Structure formats: C-alpha cells, structure tokens
Short mmCIF file of all heavy atoms in Angstrom, two decimals:
data_model
loop_
_atom_site.label_atom_id
_atom_site.label_comp_id
_atom_site.label_asym_id
_atom_site.label_seq_id
_atom_site.Cartn_x
_atom_site.Cartn_y
_atom_site.Cartn_z
N MET A 1 31.29 110.24 195.70
CA MET A 1 31.53 109.08 194.89
C MET A 1 32.99 108.93 194.62
O MET A 1 33.58 107.87 194.67
CB MET A 1 30.88 109.25 193.51
CG MET A 1 29.34 109.25 193.58
SD MET A 1 28.48 108.07 194.72
CE MET A 1 28.90 106.56 193.92
N ARG A 2 33.75 110.13 194.52
CA ARG A 2 35.19 110.15 194.46
C ARG A 2 35.84 109.60 195.74
O ARG A 2 36.61 108.77 195.64
CB ARG A 2 35.71 111.43 194.11
CG ARG A 2 35.56 111.88 192.69
CD ARG A 2 36.35 113.26 192.55
NE ARG A 2 35.52 114.20 193.16
CZ ARG A 2 34.87 115.17 192.47
NH1 ARG A 2 34.75 115.24 191.30
NH2 ARG A 2 34.09 116.12 193.18
N GLU A 3 35.23 109.90 196.85
CA GLU A 3 35.80 109.50 198.09
C GLU A 3 35.76 107.99 198.27
O GLU A 3 36.71 107.45 198.74
CB GLU A 3 35.10 110.10 199.19
CG GLU A 3 35.76 109.76 200.65
CD GLU A 3 34.88 110.50 201.69
OE1 GLU A 3 34.54 111.76 201.68
OE2 GLU A 3 34.48 109.82 202.71
N LEU A 4 34.75 107.39 197.75
CA LEU A 4 34.59 106.03 197.88
C LEU A 4 35.15 105.32 196.66
O LEU A 4 35.11 104.11 196.69
CB LEU A 4 33.02 105.63 197.98
CG LEU A 4 32.28 106.18 199.19
CD1 LEU A 4 30.85 105.96 199.16
CD2 LEU A 4 32.85 105.67 200.47
N GLY A 5 35.63 105.89 195.62
CA GLY A 5 36.14 105.33 194.61
C GLY A 5 35.28 104.51 193.69
O GLY A 5 35.72 103.53 193.11
N VAL A 6 34.09 104.98 193.46
CA VAL A 6 33.01 104.46 192.65
C VAL A 6 33.49 104.62 191.23
O VAL A 6 33.62 105.70 190.74
CB VAL A 6 31.65 104.88 192.89
CG1 VAL A 6 30.63 104.33 192.09
CG2 VAL A 6 31.22 104.61 194.36
N PRO A 7 33.74 103.48 190.47
CA PRO A 7 34.23 103.58 189.05
C PRO A 7 33.28 103.72 187.97
O PRO A 7 33.64 103.49 186.82
CB PRO A 7 35.26 102.27 188.95
CG PRO A 7 34.44 101.39 189.73
CD PRO A 7 33.77 102.12 190.91
N TYR A 8 31.97 103.88 188.34
CA TYR A 8 30.93 104.00 187.30
C TYR A 8 30.17 105.15 187.41
O TYR A 8 30.09 105.84 188.40
CB TYR A 8 30.10 102.69 187.38
CG TYR A 8 29.61 102.34 188.76
CD1 TYR A 8 28.47 103.13 189.43
CD2 TYR A 8 30.20 101.35 189.51
CE1 TYR A 8 28.08 102.80 190.63
CE2 TYR A 8 29.76 101.17 190.88
CZ TYR A 8 28.73 101.84 191.44
OH TYR A 8 28.45 101.71 192.71
N PRO A 9 29.45 105.52 186.41
CA PRO A 9 28.69 106.90 186.41
C PRO A 9 27.59 106.74 187.44
O PRO A 9 26.88 105.70 187.64
CB PRO A 9 28.05 106.92 184.92
CG PRO A 9 28.91 106.05 184.11
CD PRO A 9 29.35 104.89 185.03
N SER A 10 27.36 107.86 188.04
CA SER A 10 26.39 107.96 189.22
C SER A 10 25.47 109.10 188.98
O SER A 10 26.04 110.16 188.54
CB SER A 10 26.90 107.84 190.60
OG SER A 10 27.59 106.68 190.65
N LEU A 11 24.24 109.04 189.43
CA LEU A 11 23.41 110.21 189.34
C LEU A 11 23.30 110.72 190.69
O LEU A 11 22.91 110.09 191.58
CB LEU A 11 22.07 109.73 188.67
CG LEU A 11 20.97 110.76 188.69
CD1 LEU A 11 21.20 111.83 187.70
CD2 LEU A 11 19.62 110.16 188.49
N PHE A 12 23.39 112.12 190.73
CA PHE A 12 23.04 112.83 191.97
C PHE A 12 21.80 113.46 191.78
O PHE A 12 21.76 114.46 190.84
CB PHE A 12 24.27 113.77 192.40
CG PHE A 12 24.06 114.48 193.66
CD1 PHE A 12 23.91 113.83 194.86
CD2 PHE A 12 24.19 115.93 193.65
CE1 PHE A 12 23.68 114.54 196.12
CE2 PHE A 12 23.86 116.68 194.86
CZ PHE A 12 23.68 115.94 196.04
N ASP A 13 20.85 113.38 192.70
CA ASP A 13 19.52 113.99 192.51
C ASP A 13 19.11 114.65 193.70
O ASP A 13 18.27 114.42 194.44
CB ASP A 13 18.54 112.78 192.25
CG ASP A 13 17.10 113.18 191.86
OD1 ASP A 13 16.94 114.45 191.44
OD2 ASP A 13 16.23 112.44 192.01
N PRO A 14 19.84 115.86 193.88
CA PRO A 14 19.71 116.71 195.12
C PRO A 14 18.13 117.14 195.34
O PRO A 14 17.75 117.38 196.59
CB PRO A 14 20.62 117.73 194.97
CG PRO A 14 20.85 117.97 193.67
CD PRO A 14 20.69 116.57 192.91
N LYS A 15 17.41 117.46 194.31
CA LYS A 15 16.12 117.99 194.50
C LYS A 15 15.03 116.82 194.35
O LYS A 15 13.83 117.01 194.42
CB LYS A 15 15.74 118.98 193.48
CG LYS A 15 16.60 120.26 193.53
CD LYS A 15 16.16 121.30 192.53
CE LYS A 15 17.09 122.49 192.72
NZ LYS A 15 16.76 123.48 191.69
N ALA A 16 15.46 115.65 194.25
CA ALA A 16 14.64 114.32 194.34
C ALA A 16 13.54 114.43 193.12
O ALA A 16 12.46 114.13 193.28
CB ALA A 16 13.96 114.17 195.51
N GLU A 17 14.11 114.96 191.92
CA GLU A 17 13.17 115.12 190.73
C GLU A 17 13.19 113.84 189.99
O GLU A 17 12.14 113.46 189.37
CB GLU A 17 13.62 116.36 189.95
CG GLU A 17 13.55 117.70 190.66
CD GLU A 17 14.10 118.83 189.94
OE1 GLU A 17 14.99 118.42 189.09
OE2 GLU A 17 13.74 119.97 190.20
N THR A 18 14.21 113.10 189.88
CA THR A 18 14.42 111.98 189.03
C THR A 18 13.93 110.72 189.72
O THR A 18 13.35 109.77 189.21
CB THR A 18 15.79 111.76 188.59
OG1 THR A 18 16.21 112.98 187.87
CG2 THR A 18 15.88 110.60 187.53
N ALA A 19 14.20 110.65 191.05
CA ALA A 19 13.93 109.30 191.99
C ALA A 19 12.52 108.97 191.75
O ALA A 19 12.36 107.78 191.59
CB ALA A 19 14.37 109.59 193.34
N PRO A 20 11.56 109.82 191.85
CA PRO A 20 10.05 109.28 191.78
C PRO A 20 9.74 108.66 190.41
O PRO A 20 9.05 107.78 190.39
CB PRO A 20 9.28 110.57 192.10
CG PRO A 20 10.14 111.43 192.75
CD PRO A 20 11.58 111.15 192.22
N ARG A 21 10.39 109.27 189.39
CA ARG A 21 10.19 108.81 188.06
C ARG A 21 10.76 107.42 187.89
O ARG A 21 10.20 106.69 187.04
CB ARG A 21 10.59 109.71 186.96
CG ARG A 21 9.75 111.01 186.86
CD ARG A 21 10.22 111.88 185.75
NE ARG A 21 11.44 112.49 186.02
CZ ARG A 21 12.45 112.89 185.36
NH1 ARG A 21 12.21 112.71 184.15
NH2 ARG A 21 13.48 113.51 185.73
N LEU A 22 11.84 107.13 188.69
CA LEU A 22 12.36 105.76 188.38
C LEU A 22 11.87 104.77 189.44
O LEU A 22 12.25 103.58 189.34
CB LEU A 22 13.91 105.94 188.67
CG LEU A 22 14.75 106.79 187.60
CD1 LEU A 22 16.11 106.90 187.90
CD2 LEU A 22 14.44 105.94 186.33
N GLY A 23 11.04 105.18 190.38
CA GLY A 23 10.48 104.28 191.34
C GLY A 23 11.34 104.04 192.47
O GLY A 23 11.24 102.97 193.09
N VAL A 24 12.27 104.94 192.81
CA VAL A 24 13.14 104.80 193.96
C VAL A 24 12.37 104.84 195.28
O VAL A 24 11.56 105.70 195.51
CB VAL A 24 14.14 105.88 193.95
CG1 VAL A 24 15.12 105.75 195.23
CG2 VAL A 24 15.14 105.70 192.68
N VAL A 25 12.56 103.89 196.10
CA VAL A 25 11.73 103.86 197.35
C VAL A 25 12.74 103.88 198.56
O VAL A 25 12.34 103.98 199.64
CB VAL A 25 10.95 102.55 197.48
CG1 VAL A 25 9.88 102.49 196.48
CG2 VAL A 25 11.73 101.40 197.52
N GLY A 26 14.03 103.81 198.38
CA GLY A 26 15.05 103.96 199.45
C GLY A 26 16.44 104.24 198.82
O GLY A 26 16.63 104.11 197.51
N LEU A 27 17.40 104.56 199.64
CA LEU A 27 18.74 104.78 199.22
C LEU A 27 19.63 103.76 199.92
O LEU A 27 19.39 103.49 201.02
CB LEU A 27 19.12 106.16 199.48
CG LEU A 27 18.34 107.26 198.80
CD1 LEU A 27 18.69 108.66 199.33
CD2 LEU A 27 18.41 107.13 197.40
N PRO A 28 20.76 103.35 199.25
CA PRO A 28 21.04 103.66 197.85
C PRO A 28 20.18 102.80 196.95
O PRO A 28 19.64 101.71 197.40
CB PRO A 28 22.47 103.27 197.80
CG PRO A 28 22.68 102.16 198.76
CD PRO A 28 21.72 102.60 199.93
N THR A 29 19.99 103.19 195.83
CA THR A 29 19.24 102.34 194.75
C THR A 29 20.18 102.32 193.62
O THR A 29 20.74 103.36 193.13
CB THR A 29 17.95 102.90 194.45
OG1 THR A 29 17.14 103.00 195.48
CG2 THR A 29 17.19 102.10 193.28
N THR A 30 20.46 101.05 193.02
CA THR A 30 21.39 100.97 191.86
C THR A 30 20.43 100.42 190.63
O THR A 30 19.56 99.57 190.79
CB THR A 30 22.32 99.83 192.25
OG1 THR A 30 23.23 100.25 193.34
CG2 THR A 30 23.31 99.52 191.03
N PHE A 31 20.76 101.00 189.52
CA PHE A 31 20.07 100.65 188.31
C PHE A 31 21.15 100.31 187.30
O PHE A 31 22.17 100.92 187.15
CB PHE A 31 19.27 101.88 187.66
CG PHE A 31 18.13 102.36 188.48
CD1 PHE A 31 18.37 103.34 189.41
CD2 PHE A 31 16.99 101.90 188.42
CE1 PHE A 31 17.39 103.84 190.23
CE2 PHE A 31 15.96 102.37 189.06
CZ PHE A 31 16.09 103.28 190.01
N LEU A 32 20.89 99.13 186.46
CA LEU A 32 21.69 99.00 185.35
C LEU A 32 20.83 99.18 184.08
O LEU A 32 19.75 98.64 183.98
CB LEU A 32 22.24 97.56 185.36
CG LEU A 32 23.17 97.33 186.33
CD1 LEU A 32 23.66 95.82 186.23
CD2 LEU A 32 24.38 98.11 186.23
N LEU A 33 21.32 99.93 183.11
CA LEU A 33 20.56 100.37 181.96
C LEU A 33 21.33 99.72 180.73
O LEU A 33 22.49 99.67 180.75
CB LEU A 33 20.39 101.81 181.63
CG LEU A 33 19.43 102.64 182.50
CD1 LEU A 33 19.91 102.56 184.01
CD2 LEU A 33 19.34 103.98 182.03
N ASP A 34 20.54 99.21 179.72
CA ASP A 34 21.19 98.69 178.57
C ASP A 34 21.40 99.83 177.68
O ASP A 34 21.29 100.94 177.84
CB ASP A 34 20.25 97.49 177.89
CG ASP A 34 18.99 98.02 177.28
OD1 ASP A 34 18.85 99.22 177.20
OD2 ASP A 34 18.21 97.18 176.91
N ARG A 35 22.04 99.46 176.47
CA ARG A 35 22.34 100.35 175.42
C ARG A 35 21.31 101.30 174.86
O ARG A 35 21.55 102.35 174.42
CB ARG A 35 23.20 99.64 174.34
CG ARG A 35 22.26 98.85 173.57
CD ARG A 35 22.95 98.11 172.46
NE ARG A 35 24.37 98.54 172.32
CZ ARG A 35 25.19 97.65 171.49
NH1 ARG A 35 24.92 96.63 170.89
NH2 ARG A 35 26.39 98.11 171.36
N ASP A 36 20.07 100.80 175.17
CA ASP A 36 18.91 101.57 174.68
C ASP A 36 18.38 102.39 175.87
O ASP A 36 17.29 103.11 175.69
CB ASP A 36 17.87 100.76 174.11
CG ASP A 36 18.30 99.90 172.95
OD1 ASP A 36 19.00 100.60 172.18
OD2 ASP A 36 17.99 98.82 172.83
N GLY A 37 19.05 102.40 177.10
CA GLY A 37 18.44 103.15 178.14
C GLY A 37 17.41 102.48 178.96
O GLY A 37 16.66 103.03 179.78
N VAL A 38 17.20 101.16 178.72
CA VAL A 38 16.16 100.36 179.37
C VAL A 38 16.67 99.89 180.61
O VAL A 38 17.70 99.23 180.62
CB VAL A 38 15.67 99.25 178.42
CG1 VAL A 38 14.58 98.29 179.22
CG2 VAL A 38 15.07 99.64 177.17
N VAL A 39 15.91 100.07 181.78
CA VAL A 39 16.30 99.60 183.06
C VAL A 39 16.01 98.19 183.13
O VAL A 39 14.86 97.61 182.90
CB VAL A 39 15.61 100.33 184.15
CG1 VAL A 39 15.95 99.71 185.53
CG2 VAL A 39 15.82 101.88 184.23
N GLY A 40 16.97 97.33 183.22
CA GLY A 40 16.86 95.86 183.39
C GLY A 40 17.15 95.27 184.63
O GLY A 40 16.90 94.18 184.96
N TYR A 41 17.79 96.09 185.55
CA TYR A 41 18.02 95.71 186.86
C TYR A 41 17.93 96.85 187.83
O TYR A 41 18.39 97.98 187.63
CB TYR A 41 19.45 95.08 186.99
CG TYR A 41 20.01 94.81 188.36
CD1 TYR A 41 19.42 93.68 188.97
CD2 TYR A 41 20.83 95.53 188.94
CE1 TYR A 41 20.04 93.34 190.25
CE2 TYR A 41 21.37 95.26 190.28
CZ TYR A 41 20.85 94.09 190.86
OH TYR A 41 21.44 93.83 192.05
N GLN A 42 17.25 96.63 189.03
CA GLN A 42 17.21 97.70 190.04
C GLN A 42 17.36 96.98 191.34
O GLN A 42 16.72 95.96 191.62
CB GLN A 42 15.77 98.42 189.95
CG GLN A 42 15.58 99.51 191.02
CD GLN A 42 14.26 100.15 190.91
OE1 GLN A 42 13.56 100.01 189.91
NE2 GLN A 42 13.84 100.80 191.94
N ARG A 43 18.14 97.62 192.08
CA ARG A 43 18.32 97.05 193.52
C ARG A 43 18.36 98.21 194.58
O ARG A 43 19.05 99.09 194.34
CB ARG A 43 19.67 96.20 193.70
CG ARG A 43 19.84 95.89 195.15
CD ARG A 43 20.98 94.86 195.08
NE ARG A 43 21.36 94.52 196.51
CZ ARG A 43 20.67 93.63 197.26
NH1 ARG A 43 19.73 92.90 196.79
NH2 ARG A 43 21.07 93.36 198.45
N THR A 44 17.58 98.06 195.43
CA THR A 44 17.46 99.09 196.65
C THR A 44 18.31 98.37 197.76
O THR A 44 18.03 97.26 198.15
CB THR A 44 16.11 99.29 197.06
OG1 THR A 44 15.37 99.91 196.02
CG2 THR A 44 16.19 100.34 198.22
N GLY A 45 19.25 99.19 198.29
CA GLY A 45 20.22 98.74 199.37
C GLY A 45 21.45 98.52 198.88
O GLY A 45 21.86 98.76 197.65
N LYS A 46 22.38 97.99 199.73
CA LYS A 46 23.85 97.73 199.34
C LYS A 46 23.97 96.68 198.29
O LYS A 46 23.21 95.70 198.20
CB LYS A 46 24.58 97.27 200.66
CG LYS A 46 26.05 97.15 200.48
CD LYS A 46 26.67 96.66 201.87
CE LYS A 46 28.12 96.43 201.55
NZ LYS A 46 28.79 95.97 202.79
N THR A 47 24.75 97.08 197.43
CA THR A 47 25.26 96.02 196.36
C THR A 47 26.76 95.66 196.45
O THR A 47 27.53 96.39 197.16
CB THR A 47 24.71 96.38 194.95
OG1 THR A 47 24.97 95.39 194.11
CG2 THR A 47 25.66 97.69 194.51
N THR A 48 27.17 94.78 195.60
CA THR A 48 28.51 94.41 195.66
C THR A 48 29.13 94.53 194.21
O THR A 48 28.43 94.36 193.36
CB THR A 48 28.88 93.03 196.18
OG1 THR A 48 28.31 92.03 195.32
CG2 THR A 48 28.35 92.88 197.52
N ALA A 49 30.35 94.69 194.17
CA ALA A 49 31.06 94.56 192.81
C ALA A 49 30.89 93.21 192.16
O ALA A 49 30.56 93.22 191.05
CB ALA A 49 32.58 94.87 192.95
N ALA A 50 30.86 92.19 192.85
CA ALA A 50 30.62 90.85 192.27
C ALA A 50 29.34 90.74 191.75
O ALA A 50 29.08 90.26 190.59
CB ALA A 50 30.85 89.69 193.18
N SER A 51 28.20 91.32 192.42
CA SER A 51 26.73 91.23 191.97
C SER A 51 26.65 92.00 190.75
O SER A 51 26.03 91.59 189.69
CB SER A 51 25.93 91.73 192.98
OG SER A 51 24.56 91.73 192.54
N LEU A 52 27.25 93.20 190.73
CA LEU A 52 27.06 94.10 189.50
C LEU A 52 27.79 93.49 188.36
O LEU A 52 27.38 93.50 187.19
CB LEU A 52 27.74 95.52 189.80
CG LEU A 52 26.83 96.37 190.66
CD1 LEU A 52 27.52 97.61 191.05
CD2 LEU A 52 25.46 96.63 190.18
N SER A 53 28.98 92.95 188.58
CA SER A 53 29.85 92.41 187.38
C SER A 53 29.04 91.14 186.92
O SER A 53 28.96 91.06 185.56
CB SER A 53 31.16 91.84 188.06
OG SER A 53 31.89 91.15 187.01
N ALA A 54 28.38 90.34 187.68
CA ALA A 54 27.52 89.20 187.10
C ALA A 54 26.45 89.76 186.27
O ALA A 54 26.15 89.20 185.17
CB ALA A 54 27.09 88.35 188.19
N ARG A 55 25.64 90.85 186.76
CA ARG A 55 24.62 91.40 185.87
C ARG A 55 25.27 92.01 184.61
O ARG A 55 24.58 91.87 183.60
CB ARG A 55 23.97 92.48 186.87
CG ARG A 55 23.34 91.98 187.91
CD ARG A 55 22.05 91.03 187.70
NE ARG A 55 21.48 90.61 188.90
CZ ARG A 55 20.33 90.09 189.00
NH1 ARG A 55 19.43 90.13 187.99
NH2 ARG A 55 19.80 89.75 190.08
N LEU A 56 26.27 92.66 184.74
CA LEU A 56 26.88 93.21 183.49
C LEU A 56 27.27 92.22 182.53
O LEU A 56 27.00 92.30 181.33
CB LEU A 56 28.00 94.16 183.87
CG LEU A 56 27.57 95.48 184.55
CD1 LEU A 56 28.92 96.39 185.05
CD2 LEU A 56 26.88 96.39 183.39
N ASP A 57 27.89 91.15 182.94
CA ASP A 57 28.41 90.00 182.19
C ASP A 57 27.15 89.44 181.37
O ASP A 57 27.22 89.18 180.17
CB ASP A 57 29.07 89.04 182.96
CG ASP A 57 30.46 89.24 183.39
OD1 ASP A 57 31.02 90.43 182.77
OD2 ASP A 57 30.88 88.66 184.27
N ALA A 58 26.00 89.32 182.19
CA ALA A 58 24.80 88.74 181.52
C ALA A 58 24.23 89.69 180.42
O ALA A 58 23.76 89.27 179.41
CB ALA A 58 23.75 88.58 182.59
N LEU A 59 24.42 91.04 180.77
CA LEU A 59 23.88 92.11 179.80
C LEU A 59 24.62 91.86 178.51
O LEU A 59 24.26 91.92 177.45
CB LEU A 59 23.93 93.40 180.37
CG LEU A 59 23.67 94.58 179.52
CD1 LEU A 59 22.19 94.37 179.01
CD2 LEU A 59 23.70 95.77 180.34
N LEU A 60 26.09 92.04 178.74
CA LEU A 60 26.93 91.96 177.57
C LEU A 60 26.79 90.64 176.72
O LEU A 60 26.95 90.72 175.52
CB LEU A 60 28.44 92.18 178.03
CG LEU A 60 28.64 93.41 178.68
CD1 LEU A 60 30.21 93.59 179.23
CD2 LEU A 60 28.68 94.53 177.61
N ALA A 61 26.52 89.57 177.47
CA ALA A 61 26.29 88.26 176.70
C ALA A 61 25.18 88.26 175.80
O ALA A 61 24.94 87.59 174.85
CB ALA A 61 26.25 87.09 177.74
N GLN A 62 24.18 89.33 176.10
CA GLN A 62 23.01 89.46 175.22
C GLN A 62 23.25 90.56 174.26
O GLN A 62 22.14 91.14 173.68
CB GLN A 62 21.71 89.83 176.16
CG GLN A 62 21.44 88.61 177.12
CD GLN A 62 20.44 89.05 178.10
OE1 GLN A 62 19.21 89.06 177.61
NE2 GLN A 62 20.78 89.25 179.25
N GLY A 63 24.38 90.99 174.07
CA GLY A 63 24.65 91.95 173.11
C GLY A 63 24.31 93.35 173.53
O GLY A 63 24.24 94.34 172.76
N GLY A 64 24.29 93.52 174.85
CA GLY A 64 23.99 94.84 175.43
C GLY A 64 22.69 95.29 175.60
O GLY A 64 22.29 96.49 175.69
N ARG A 65 21.67 94.39 175.35
CA ARG A 65 20.25 94.81 175.46
C ARG A 65 19.62 93.66 176.26
O ARG A 65 19.78 92.43 176.11
CB ARG A 65 19.62 94.72 174.04
CG ARG A 65 20.08 95.94 173.25
CD ARG A 65 19.22 96.12 171.94
NE ARG A 65 19.57 97.29 171.34
CZ ARG A 65 20.52 97.48 170.35
NH1 ARG A 65 21.16 96.36 170.00
NH2 ARG A 65 20.72 98.54 169.79
N TRP A 66 18.75 94.13 177.15
CA TRP A 66 17.95 93.12 178.03
C TRP A 66 17.00 92.33 177.10
O TRP A 66 16.43 93.04 176.28
CB TRP A 66 17.26 93.99 179.16
CG TRP A 66 18.10 94.78 180.04
CD1 TRP A 66 18.17 96.12 180.19
CD2 TRP A 66 19.15 94.17 180.99
NE1 TRP A 66 19.09 96.46 181.12
CE2 TRP A 66 19.76 95.31 181.55
CE3 TRP A 66 19.58 92.87 181.32
CZ2 TRP A 66 20.63 95.13 182.67
CZ3 TRP A 66 20.47 92.80 182.31
CH2 TRP A 66 21.12 93.91 182.92
N GLN A 67 16.77 91.12 177.46
CA GLN A 67 15.84 90.38 176.70
C GLN A 67 14.35 90.83 177.29
O GLN A 67 14.23 90.97 178.52
CB GLN A 67 15.99 88.86 176.94
CG GLN A 67 17.19 88.34 176.25
CD GLN A 67 17.54 86.94 176.34
OE1 GLN A 67 16.73 86.31 177.09
NE2 GLN A 67 18.41 86.36 175.62
N ARG A 68 13.50 91.02 176.33
CA ARG A 68 12.14 91.47 176.91
C ARG A 68 11.22 90.35 176.74
O ARG A 68 11.16 89.52 176.00
CB ARG A 68 11.73 92.64 176.04
CG ARG A 68 12.68 93.77 176.17
CD ARG A 68 12.33 94.91 175.09
NE ARG A 68 13.48 95.66 174.62
CZ ARG A 68 14.08 96.52 175.11
NH1 ARG A 68 13.82 97.02 176.36
NH2 ARG A 68 15.06 97.10 174.57
#
C-alpha cells in the first residue's frame, strides 16, 4: 500500500479470515464504512479516486451515516 501511495486505511487479511465474513468474492474489494461501522458501499475490482470521492461526499452529506 505504501508503494502505491494509498492514502486511506487498508486491511491486510493474509489468512483470509475476515474476507468470508465480509462477503469478498474477488480482489481487490473496496468497502466504505460509515461512522457506525456499517458497510454502505462495496466494490469488487478496480476503483478510482473520483468514484471513492463521490461516495465519500455522499456519506458526509448524510452526516457520516448511510441512510437505511
């Protein structure tokens, strides 16, 4: 992650213990969690900074919690 300059927290799951609980079906998989730890966005495959930024802006516009 350092080599690629990823500026956000990332989870490394070398024993694949967490992936099945999150429903990961392929790599890479990106999740956005709200302030309560609720997964509101999941994407398998390549993502872009613009896409993540738009999702984060939407989350912040809702006060940091996904609408249920």
Side-chain angles (χ1 to χ4, degrees):
M1 300 312 297
R2 278 187 291 255
E3 181 180 319
L4 297 174
V6 175
Y8 47 81
S10 297
L11 172 71
F12 181 59
D13 188 18
K15 294 182 181 179
E17 295 171 341
T18 304
R21 289 186 285 153
L22 292 173
V24 173
V25 295
L27 297 176
T29 300
T30 301
F31 296 91
L32 292 181
L33 286 68
D34 72 6
R35 65 180 359 165
D36 298 321
V38 174
V39 176
Y41 173 75
Q42 177 180 346
R43 175 168 174 86
T44 301
K46 185 178 177 182
T47 191
T48 65
S51 174
L52 289 176
S53 180
R55 297 287 180 164
L56 287 170
D57 287 345
L59 175 61
L60 292 172
Q62 297 176 74
R65 290 191 172 88
W66 301 112
Q67 291 182 354
R68 302 176 216 275

